[in-house]
Amino acid sequence: SSIWIGYLNSLFYTISSVCIGLFVTMTAAYAMSRKKLPGKKFINLYIILTMFLNGGLIPTFLVMRDIGLYDTRLVLILRGCFGVWNLMLARTYMQTTIPEELYEAAVLDGASHFQYFSKVVMPLSKTITAVLSVYYGVAKWNDYFSGVVFIRNDKLLPLQTVLRRILASLQVNLSEEIVDALA
């Protein structure tokens, strides 16, 4: 039964994380692809620095615990649902694929940024959306370490962590049998 619970948890975590990740990545990529964004170089530098400088496991654990995400479903959904590399990929796609003239034409027709993003940019970005969905989905589906570190409740564990625990218990039992056989 723990395998089925883990499977359903992994499915829920993956789908939720991919939806949130796509929304955040695509909206941020659209904003970063605009030529007239004030402070664009500073924001870009700040975002890229987060890709290279990481706080580490212990500070991340302490922050998650202090803000109340430890041992909740939300910690597995939000951790890893945004990637700087994916943002740069989407931003570059929007800058090179979607011509600036489309924005000018949409503004002449009375479109706001939100209307332009939802009715022009997103339909033209189906390719990068599919690629990012696969990237986020595979990364979230294969993530077992977050379950090991941030979840204590067995009912919240993803499938990968459940399978890893089963494998670890089999290895312990096998090594005990080998020791007993040698004795």
Side-chain angles (χ1 to χ4, degrees):
S1 70
S2 64
I3 291 178
W4 286 109
I5 291 170
Y7 180 75
L8 291 174
N9 285 340
S10 287
L11 205 57
F12 175 70
Y13 298 147
T14 302
I15 291 170
S16 302
S17 186
V18 167
C19 290
I20 292 170
L22 281 177
F23 175 75
V24 171
T25 302
M26 293 305 284
T27 53
Y30 170 71
M32 294 299 293
S33 69
R34 306 298 341 142
K35 290 183 179 179
K36 296 180 180 177
L37 178 68
K40 181 178 177 180
K41 288 186 180 184
F42 174 74
I43 295 169
N44 199 21
L45 177 67
Y46 184 74
I47 290 173
I48 289 175
L49 280 176
T50 64
M51 187 167 67
F52 297 115
L53 304 173
N54 186 354
L57 181 61
I58 294 172
T60 302
F61 175 81
L62 293 174
V63 167
M64 294 300 162
R65 187 194 64 191
D66 291 345
I67 64 175
L69 291 180
Y70 180 69
D71 205 24
T72 63
R73 291 184 187 275
L74 207 52
V75 72
L76 293 180
I77 293 171
L78 295 179
R79 271 190 47 80
C81 73
F82 176 75
V84 175
W85 174 255
N86 296 336
L87 170 67
M88 297 302 150
L89 200 65
R91 183 201 66 189
T92 304
Y93 179 86
M94 287 180 191
Q95 285 176 337
T96 58
T97 307
I98 301 171
E100 189 68 28
E101 290 80 18
L102 279 178
Y103 175 71
E104 294 168 4
V107 168
L108 286 176
D109 288 340
S112 65
H113 276 289
F114 178 74
Q115 290 171 327
Y116 174 70
F117 175 72
S118 61
K119 294 184 179 179
V120 177
V121 173
M122 286 306 292
L124 292 175
S125 301
K126 288 178 183 173
T127 307
I128 195 66
T129 304
V131 169
L132 293 178
S133 298
V134 170
Y135 284 176
Y136 282 130
V138 169
K140 186 54 71 176
W141 184 262
N142 290 333
D143 181 26
Y144 82 93
F145 190 67
S146 293
V148 170
V149 174
F150 296 106
I151 300 293
R152 277 185 305 182
N153 186 351
D154 290 342
K155 300 286 185 198
L156 300 178
L157 289 175
L159 177 64
Q160 297 72 18
T161 307
V162 172
L163 293 176
R164 180 68 183 134
R165 283 187 176 181
I166 292 171
L167 253 162
S169 70
L170 290 176
Q171 289 174 351
V172 168
N173 292 339
L174 183 63
S175 63
E176 288 174 358
E177 291 176 11
I178 292 172
V179 169
D180 290 341
L182 292 176

